Amino acid sequence: MSIPVVIEELTPEWLATVLGGTVTSFTADPVGTGQIGTCYRLTIEGAGVPSRVIAKLPAIDAAARELLANAYLGEVRFYRDLASTVTVRVPKCYHVDSGEKGAFVLLLEDLAPSRQGDQLVGCSVPQAYDAVVNLAGLHGPRWCDPTLLEIEGLSLNGPEDAALMAELYAPTNETFLEQIGPLLKPEDHETLRAIPPLLESWALARAERFGLVHGDYRVDNLMFPPDDAPGAVAVDWQTLSLALPARDVAYFVATSLEPDVRREHERDLVAAYHSALGVEGYSLEQCWDDYVFGMVQVPLVCVFALVYGTRTERGDQMFAAMVSRGCAAIRELGTLDVVVV
């Protein structure tokens, strides 16, 4: 059965086959901005099938699809092979498939009335606690699991990977500063320029502690229940990798809370994450140290995402806010002092 890559190729007959029921008709409404793919809410008429699902498809442009094939495969791999082996809350997957040249399709649970978070606003402290405990459900079950290294497309950074990342990051960092530097404080510029000489060492360090890492676990990639209720659900798994798990924690906490709020609550947030993690032989002190070390994840992700992604006015404001919050944490926690070159 062929894989639909644009919404026009998705038919009632195809839906009925993959959902295992009867579909007489459906409507499709676009969801999200579609920067690296397309996403639709399907309202379905039929029997024995969900009344609404979210359909994720690749970019409309064939060249873009091919360029983004690895990102698509990362999300396919997560839902197909890994989601059932961890306890992080994610949408139910009704169907997943992939093919050549970036072809893929996902049919996921519609999480309404939960709403996507707003990265510019950040989240409340109760939402932050809920989110870090949920994150422990990704990291804990497969903590240092050697079988993860056998999965095609998943690997730890090697020397060549780290060297290439550092080589690409330095000029990209300068481009980032040229593009949105006026939105940042002078001290943020200094922090960002201090990172390139340390990045290769940072990327290789602490490989003895690894796990599944979301890579972009932040407010915009979480669906929050109404009225601050617990139960945040993580979406957008294209950046899945193997790395030091605390990178996800640092990235989320630093980018989701204003510095004064983060300072007040981060010790307790890390303790809540550590308690939910349930990993023997990994102390709270080690977890805190990894959290401090992992703060480099913030500028690393944001710099590459802004420079190589599709720029928008909101995107510029969002990445400036994330980097400003992250750089403040890096300075206050002394992150760069614990990276050994």
Side-chain angles (χ1 to χ4, degrees):
M1 186 169 56
S2 61
I3 299 172
V5 294
V6 293
I7 193 63
E8 290 78 12
E9 295 176 356
L10 204 155
T11 65
E13 294 76 19
W14 183 88
L15 282 171
T17 300
V18 300
L19 293 174
T22 301
V23 176
T24 55
S25 65
F26 72 92
T27 58
D29 298 305
V31 177
T33 57
Q35 290 185 327
I36 70 166
T38 57
C39 190
Y40 299 86
R41 173 174 284 111
L42 308 183
T43 303
I44 303 172
E45 296 290 336
V49 296
S51 59
R52 293 200 309 188
V53 300
I54 299 296
K56 294 192 73 170
L57 301 168
I60 295 173
D61 179 71
R65 283 201 298 269
E66 231 176 313
L67 186 65
L68 293 162
N70 285 338
Y72 299 150
L73 283 175
E75 187 157 40
V76 167
R77 185 182 300 115
F78 175 76
Y79 282 108
R80 185 188 61 206
D81 303 327
L82 296 167
S84 63
T85 72
V86 292
T87 58
V88 62
R89 289 186 297 271
V90 297
K92 179 180 179 180
C93 182
Y94 297 110
H95 179 71
V96 55
D97 199 4
S98 63
E100 297 180 348
K101 298 182 178 180
F104 90 101
V105 60
L106 275 169
L107 297 182
L108 301 172
E109 173 188 8
D110 185 351
L111 297 169
S114 291
R115 295 183 178 273
Q116 180 186 20
D118 184 339
Q119 196 67 53
L120 284 168
V121 175
C123 69
S124 68
V125 172
Q127 287 174 329
Y129 277 98
D130 179 55
V132 297
V133 169
N134 187 43
L135 191 52
L138 172 66
H139 299 156
R142 304 295 297 271
W143 184 271
C144 293
D145 183 344
T147 64
L148 291 173
L149 300 169
E150 301 168 5
I151 298 174
E152 184 180 359
L154 287 180
S155 62
L156 293 167
N157 281 329
E160 291 183 4
D161 303 313
L164 178 61
M165 181 191 300
E167 181 182 348
L168 292 173
Y169 182 82
T172 306
N173 194 44
E174 291 303 314
T175 302
F176 178 89
L177 286 168
E178 290 170 9
Q179 291 178 343
I180 67 165
L183 301 177
L184 302 173
K185 300 174 184 176
E187 54 264 41
D188 296 331
H189 287 238
E190 294 177 11
T191 301
L192 288 171
R193 288 201 165 104
I195 291 172
L198 306 174
L199 189 59
E200 186 173 351
S201 296
W202 180 86
L204 290 173
R206 309 195 182 198
E208 69 277 10
R209 291 190 291 280
F210 70 90
L212 292 167
V213 169
H214 184 286
D216 197 20
Y217 192 88
R218 59 186 174 88
V219 171
D220 267 7
N221 288 333
L222 292 172
M223 300 291 292
F224 291 100
D227 303 323
D228 242 8
V233 177
V235 299
D236 289 345
W237 292 87
Q238 297 96 337
T239 50
L240 184 74
S241 66
L242 296 182
L244 180 71
R247 290 189 193 183
D248 271 345
V249 188
Y251 182 78
F252 172 78
V253 173
T255 62
S256 303
L257 302 173
E258 291 296 336
D260 57 337
V261 181
R262 170 188 51 78
R263 281 191 293 270
E264 182 180 354
H265 294 281
E266 63 188 333
R267 284 275 184 181
D268 290 337
L269 284 165
V270 172
Y273 163 81
H274 177 264
S275 178
L277 196 62
V279 173
E280 293 186 8
Y282 184 55
S283 69
L284 177 56
E285 291 73 21
Q286 283 180 302
C287 187
W288 173 258
D289 189 56
D290 283 346
Y291 167 81
V292 171
F293 181 86
M295 279 295 165
V296 176
Q297 182 83 358
V298 178
L300 176 67
V301 172
C302 293
V303 165
F304 278 124
L306 180 129
V307 174
Y308 290 106
T310 301
R311 286 189 66 190
T312 64
E313 183 177 350
R314 180 186 184 273
D316 285 2
Q317 295 288 336
M318 180 188 78
F319 286 120
M322 292 171 69
V323 165
S324 179
R325 294 167 188 165
C327 284
I330 286 171
R331 290 191 297 272
E332 292 167 14
L333 296 169
T335 294
L336 302 187
D337 294 333
V338 302
V339 181
V340 178
V341 180

